[in-house]
Amino acid sequence: MGTFIKMEKQKSNIFIERDIRFHIDKYVDLNRRVLILTDDGVPKQYVRVIEEQCPHPYLKVIPQGEGSKSLQSVEEIVLWMAQMGFEKGDLMFAVGGGVVGDLGGFIASIYLQGIQVVSLPTTTLSQIDSSIGGKTAVDLNHIKNNVGSFYQPSNVFIDLNTVATLTKREYYSGLVEALKAGLIRDSKLFDIFWTHITDFNESIPPSDVEEIVIRALNVKRKIVEKDEKEANLRKLLNFGHTLGHAIESIEMPKYYHGECVGLGMLMILENIDLRDKIKQVLEKMGMPTHIDYDIDQVISLIKSDKKYNGSTVTIVQVDEIGKGYFKDVTLEWLRNHLEKNRI
Ligand SMILES: NC(=O)c1ccc[n+]([C@@H]2O[C@H](COP(=O)([O-])OP(=O)(O)OC[C@H]3O[C@@H](n4cnc5c(N)ncnc54)[C@H](O)[C@@H]3O)[C@@H](O)[C@H]2O)c1
């Protein structure tokens, strides 16, 4: 038996169940044109199992990696959908990680002013975070997620057995978003990391993974239900992201997204004891906890971040586990903080 989470206002159904990928046709009408969007790094077995359930599958495989989250991919795919005769009642089915999910969600939101979108997220990051909440995006040149929309998936199928094929590094880097969720809103979730992640080379027991995913999803669900369009509260989910995105842009493609979020959290924290504690957890997860970076370059990227209003930038800060809060800081404050707190 799996777990079912409903987002009432968003009309999104989230199913968390091992092997649910084999029974998607029980929950969604697949008897129409179904665009199965995936990338060439997603193991074919997950794509095949969806394709086999669709009487009219249309498969689109994009190159793996952040580079595919571009306006060129959007144009290419919508043109192809039009040529294939996709209509308003047809379906977008994203099979893959956050890249496929963000791109697929964005295309679904604009094609014929919106067609239904469902997903089978296959990375820890997409299962814990990016597949729910309806934030869709592509990158504009090198600025991450600068073009996008809010568009809710009707169904998300989280099959924890699909992440078995990830490398350890990908697996743990995705879990950093759950660590973040614990830090901003759920101290029990943080405790699971603190007590159960003993060593990068050992696996976390499956029941703990289950609890990590469900708790992280619930943190996000509660926030999104209160603030779907990121007017205020939803920005809490950006803990570690302002600096993390800057590092990601500078170092791309050296670090994974979750690794950058981990670095971004360490860089912004002011509570030294807490920073040491998080550092220990990240080390046990095999994540990087030290980086040489050029402060000027980071500051100049923050200036083009949508969170910068010309004089201050709103960052998310955590002094006490489970209690994230907003803080408006000037670029001088940030520079000073980074100079004094090199990680
Ligand atoms: N929309 C949101 O709310 C939100 C939130 C967080 C992150 N994101 C976005 O998510 C993206 C990162 O997502 P990601 O970490 O899933 O990366 P990703 O989608 O690039 O996937 C990582 C790699 O794993 C491969 N892969 C996918 N599933 C696999 C599997 N089961 N086994 C083996 N390999 C597999 C992919 O081919 C890819 O090479 C970023 O673009 C980020 O901006 C979006």
Short mmCIF file of all heavy atoms in Angstrom, two decimals, residues 19 21 43 46 120-123 127 158-166:
data_model
loop_
_atom_site.label_atom_id
_atom_site.label_comp_id
_atom_site.label_asym_id
_atom_site.label_seq_id
_atom_site.Cartn_x
_atom_site.Cartn_y
_atom_site.Cartn_z
N ASP A 19 6.66 0.62 -7.47
CA ASP A 19 6.18 -0.08 -8.67
C ASP A 19 4.86 0.45 -9.24
O ASP A 19 4.25 -0.21 -10.10
CB ASP A 19 6.08 -1.60 -8.43
CG ASP A 19 7.46 -2.23 -8.33
OD1 ASP A 19 8.43 -1.60 -8.84
OD2 ASP A 19 7.59 -3.31 -7.73
N ARG A 21 4.52 2.53 -11.34
CA ARG A 21 4.70 2.82 -12.77
C ARG A 21 4.04 1.77 -13.68
O ARG A 21 3.74 2.04 -14.83
CB ARG A 21 6.19 2.95 -13.12
CG ARG A 21 7.01 1.67 -12.97
CD ARG A 21 8.50 1.96 -13.16
NE ARG A 21 9.34 0.78 -13.13
CZ ARG A 21 9.72 0.16 -12.01
NH1 ARG A 21 9.31 0.61 -10.83
NH2 ARG A 21 10.52 -0.90 -12.07
N PRO A 43 16.94 5.67 -17.69
CA PRO A 43 16.94 4.28 -18.16
C PRO A 43 15.67 3.95 -18.96
O PRO A 43 14.56 4.30 -18.55
CB PRO A 43 17.01 3.48 -16.85
CG PRO A 43 17.72 4.40 -15.91
CD PRO A 43 17.24 5.77 -16.26
N TYR A 46 12.07 2.54 -17.72
CA TYR A 46 10.99 3.34 -17.12
C TYR A 46 10.12 3.98 -18.21
O TYR A 46 8.93 4.20 -18.01
CB TYR A 46 11.55 4.46 -16.22
CG TYR A 46 12.53 3.94 -15.18
CD1 TYR A 46 13.73 4.60 -14.95
CD2 TYR A 46 12.25 2.79 -14.45
CE1 TYR A 46 14.64 4.13 -14.01
CE2 TYR A 46 13.15 2.31 -13.52
CZ TYR A 46 14.34 2.98 -13.31
OH TYR A 46 15.24 2.50 -12.40
N LEU A 120 6.18 10.98 -14.03
CA LEU A 120 6.82 9.90 -13.28
C LEU A 120 8.24 10.41 -12.98
O LEU A 120 9.14 10.28 -13.81
CB LEU A 120 6.89 8.62 -14.13
CG LEU A 120 7.61 7.43 -13.47
CD1 LEU A 120 6.69 6.76 -12.42
CD2 LEU A 120 8.02 6.39 -14.51
N PRO A 121 8.41 11.09 -11.83
CA PRO A 121 9.75 11.60 -11.52
C PRO A 121 10.68 10.44 -11.16
O PRO A 121 10.29 9.56 -10.40
CB PRO A 121 9.51 12.51 -10.32
CG PRO A 121 8.20 12.11 -9.75
CD PRO A 121 7.41 11.44 -10.82
N THR A 122 11.88 10.45 -11.74
CA THR A 122 12.76 9.30 -11.55
C THR A 122 14.07 9.62 -10.84
O THR A 122 14.97 8.79 -10.80
CB THR A 122 13.07 8.63 -12.91
OG1 THR A 122 13.71 9.62 -13.74
CG2 THR A 122 11.83 8.09 -13.58
N THR A 123 14.20 10.85 -10.32
CA THR A 123 15.38 11.16 -9.50
C THR A 123 14.89 11.52 -8.10
O THR A 123 13.72 11.90 -7.93
CB THR A 123 16.17 12.37 -10.07
OG1 THR A 123 15.31 13.51 -10.06
CG2 THR A 123 16.68 12.12 -11.47
N GLN A 127 11.52 13.61 -7.12
CA GLN A 127 10.49 12.97 -6.29
C GLN A 127 10.19 13.78 -5.02
O GLN A 127 9.07 13.83 -4.55
CB GLN A 127 10.94 11.55 -5.90
CG GLN A 127 11.08 10.65 -7.11
CD GLN A 127 11.21 9.19 -6.77
OE1 GLN A 127 11.51 8.84 -5.64
NE2 GLN A 127 11.01 8.33 -7.75
N ILE A 158 5.07 8.84 -7.75
CA ILE A 158 6.40 8.72 -7.16
C ILE A 158 6.67 7.25 -6.84
O ILE A 158 6.10 6.69 -5.90
CB ILE A 158 6.50 9.62 -5.91
CG1 ILE A 158 6.34 11.07 -6.39
CG2 ILE A 158 7.83 9.41 -5.19
CD1 ILE A 158 6.32 12.09 -5.31
N ASP A 159 7.49 6.66 -7.69
CA ASP A 159 7.81 5.24 -7.56
C ASP A 159 9.25 5.14 -7.04
O ASP A 159 10.20 5.33 -7.79
CB ASP A 159 7.66 4.59 -8.94
CG ASP A 159 7.94 3.11 -8.90
OD1 ASP A 159 8.56 2.63 -7.92
OD2 ASP A 159 7.54 2.42 -9.86
N LEU A 160 9.35 4.86 -5.74
CA LEU A 160 10.69 4.88 -5.11
C LEU A 160 11.62 3.82 -5.68
O LEU A 160 12.84 3.91 -5.49
CB LEU A 160 10.55 4.73 -3.59
CG LEU A 160 9.88 5.91 -2.90
CD1 LEU A 160 9.54 5.59 -1.46
CD2 LEU A 160 10.78 7.14 -2.94
N ASN A 161 11.08 2.86 -6.41
CA ASN A 161 11.97 1.85 -6.99
C ASN A 161 12.71 2.36 -8.23
O ASN A 161 13.66 1.74 -8.67
CB ASN A 161 11.19 0.58 -7.33
CG ASN A 161 10.88 -0.21 -6.07
OD1 ASN A 161 11.47 0.04 -5.01
ND2 ASN A 161 9.96 -1.15 -6.15
N THR A 162 12.27 3.50 -8.77
CA THR A 162 12.96 3.99 -9.98
C THR A 162 14.30 4.65 -9.66
O THR A 162 15.13 4.82 -10.54
CB THR A 162 12.10 4.99 -10.79
OG1 THR A 162 11.84 6.12 -9.95
CG2 THR A 162 10.80 4.37 -11.26
N VAL A 163 14.50 5.04 -8.41
CA VAL A 163 15.76 5.75 -8.11
C VAL A 163 16.93 4.78 -7.88
O VAL A 163 18.07 5.21 -7.71
CB VAL A 163 15.64 6.74 -6.92
CG1 VAL A 163 14.68 7.86 -7.26
CG2 VAL A 163 15.23 6.05 -5.64
N ALA A 164 16.62 3.48 -7.92
CA ALA A 164 17.67 2.48 -7.68
C ALA A 164 18.80 2.57 -8.71
O ALA A 164 19.92 2.14 -8.44
CB ALA A 164 17.05 1.09 -7.69
N THR A 165 18.49 3.10 -9.90
CA THR A 165 19.51 3.15 -10.96
C THR A 165 20.35 4.43 -10.94
O THR A 165 21.23 4.61 -11.79
CB THR A 165 18.82 3.02 -12.34
OG1 THR A 165 17.63 3.83 -12.31
CG2 THR A 165 18.43 1.59 -12.65
N LEU A 166 20.07 5.33 -9.99
CA LEU A 166 20.88 6.56 -9.90
C LEU A 166 22.26 6.23 -9.33
O LEU A 166 22.41 5.27 -8.56
CB LEU A 166 20.21 7.57 -8.97
CG LEU A 166 18.90 8.20 -9.42
CD1 LEU A 166 18.32 9.04 -8.28
CD2 LEU A 166 19.11 9.07 -10.64
#
